[in-house]
Amino acid sequence: MTDRGFDLVDIIDLNRTPSFGALWLVELAFASRKGNIFKAIDWYY
Amino acid sequence: MHCSSRDMLKRAKKLEGGFKSAAVDYLLSLKFFQRVARFLLENRTQNLEFRPFLGKAFNANTEPIFGLLPNLDYKPEHIVDVSAHRGAWTISAMRLFPDAKFTLFETQCGLLSGNKALQANNVTLNFLGVGPKSSEAFFIEHARQDSRFFTWSENEAETSNSAQQLLTINSLDDYFQKHQDWPRPQVLNIEGKRRDLEVLKVGAQMIKSCDIGFVLATVLNRKSPDTAPR
């Protein structure tokens, strides 16, 4: 996704196996660098 | 063809899992159950173990980011859901962006057709497969509804124990070149497995023009990137 012009912005879900509790799948959200949607978020509080 | 008792037992277990999964999926698709689940999640169950199970009813995990977007003055006009399954992700998006247009792709038409929330004018349901290029591919009907997938390899199709059928695949670029009556897609969700994800590899123009993309990625499931339990 980075090569396609996107940056990671959120981790939506961590899907763990019922048997071992191991991390099987993750659901991720990426935002386009062109869009600049998240530019307003640059401080913690 | 000889079939040992061990194989039969294995198959029976697979079918049992598939039935349970289908029953749970059906329960989660009911509006009443979704309301109860939402109430419990929001008011009563901050730390309970069954929280992930209830959250599946309306894809509660996406709510933080969907809730954030209007605060950033971002309201998408067109949202695309590839491998929509029962439409839980789309319904979650519809709650926060009721005026947006929605285009859904799902190969298994029975999963979406009964969902009344998706019968609105701003929703287009496409019972099509999506791939890196328009072609045909074998659709493997695994016992679990959320683990069915396309394969381009005849070898894999032949060796699979599950039923299969040859279906048409559309590339996202081809589809949206033919359907330009709605605004450009701004948010894309690909919850597909295996070959569905090759859509990302080829870097379709449609994906490059999106503002936000949701992707399912494997971590320890390296051999077989789908959701089937091992």
Side-chain angles (χ1 to χ4, degrees):
Chain A
M1 289 299 278
T2 306
D3 294 343
R4 306 275 175 257
F6 287 80
D7 287 328
L8 182 68
V9 289
D10 208 335
I11 297 169
I12 307 298
D13 188 22
L14 301 176
N15 186 323
R16 294 186 177 276
T17 63
S19 50
F20 295 103
L23 190 57
W24 199 242
L25 296 164
V26 289
E27 195 178 339
L28 307 170
F30 295 87
S32 166
R33 281 182 219 117
K34 286 182 200 164
N36 258 340
I37 299 164
F38 293 87
K39 68 179 175 188
I41 304 172
D42 58 358
W43 73 96
Y44 185 81
Y45 290 101
Chain B
M1 199 174 108
H2 176 70
C3 191
S4 71
S5 58
R6 201 174 166 183
D7 286 345
M8 286 176 74
L9 190 67
K10 214 174 173 182
R11 196 164 294 176
K13 274 185 181 172
K14 264 189 179 178
L15 287 173
E16 191 191 346
F19 173 75
K20 277 183 189 167
S21 170
V24 168
D25 281 348
Y26 174 73
L27 269 178
L28 295 178
S29 70
L30 296 178
K31 212 156 199 177
F32 170 75
F33 186 86
Q34 290 180 7
R35 281 185 188 161
V36 173
R38 182 180 296 282
F39 175 80
L40 289 172
L41 269 176
E42 288 172 357
N43 300 290
R44 306 281 179 206
T45 60
Q46 292 301 316
N47 295 308
L48 292 183
E49 280 182 7
F50 55 87
R51 190 176 162 82
F53 170 76
L54 292 176
K56 200 182 163 193
F58 50 90
N59 209 330
N61 298 323
T62 52
E63 297 212 340
I65 189 165
F66 282 155
L68 171 68
L69 294 178
N71 293 333
L72 299 171
D73 289 329
Y74 181 75
K75 285 189 178 176
E77 294 179 312
H78 188 181
I79 296 173
V80 177
D81 191 359
V82 175
S83 294
H85 198 57
R86 290 191 183 280
W89 187 91
T90 297
I91 290 167
S92 177
M94 285 173 92
R95 286 185 69 240
L96 285 146
F97 307 112
D99 299 328
K101 312 279 188 193
F102 292 87
T103 302
L104 282 73
F105 296 90
E106 173 54 57
T107 314
Q108 305 172 72
C109 57
L111 296 180
L112 286 175
S113 53
N115 198 330
K116 285 183 184 170
L118 301 174
Q119 307 296 325
N121 289 335
N122 61 336
V123 179
T124 302
L125 303 180
N126 296 290
F127 301 114
L128 297 170
V130 171
K133 58 180 182 179
S134 297
S135 59
E136 286 184 326
F138 285 104
F139 185 64
I140 308 294
E141 297 183 338
H142 191 277
R144 274 180 65 111
Q145 282 178 336
D146 58 354
S147 292
R148 295 176 181 180
F149 59 91
F150 279 104
T151 177
W152 268 252
S153 150
E154 282 184 25
N155 228 1
E156 190 176 21
E158 281 171 13
T159 53
S160 167
N161 286 330
S162 309
Q164 54 193 267
Q165 52 179 319
L166 195 62
L167 294 178
T168 307
I169 302 283
N170 278 256
S171 82
L172 288 174
D173 279 349
D174 285 351
Y175 178 87
F176 285 107
Q177 266 173 14
K178 287 177 195 164
H179 301 83
Q180 294 190 351
D181 39 339
W182 281 2
R184 75 171 172 95
Q186 288 167 285
V187 176
L188 171 70
N189 178 43
I190 300 186
E191 288 215 10
K193 283 86 68 176
R194 296 197 180 196
R195 296 290 179 172
D196 299 8
L197 290 173
E198 288 194 7
V199 174
L200 296 176
K201 278 189 196 167
V202 297
Q205 286 304 316
M206 177 265 170
I207 294 171
K208 287 179 186 168
S209 70
C210 281
D211 297 325
I212 299 176
F214 293 82
V215 179
L216 198 68
T218 61
V219 181
L220 284 173
N221 183 6
R222 294 186 195 98
K223 283 183 188 172
S224 171
D226 66 12
T227 55
R230 300 245 128 203

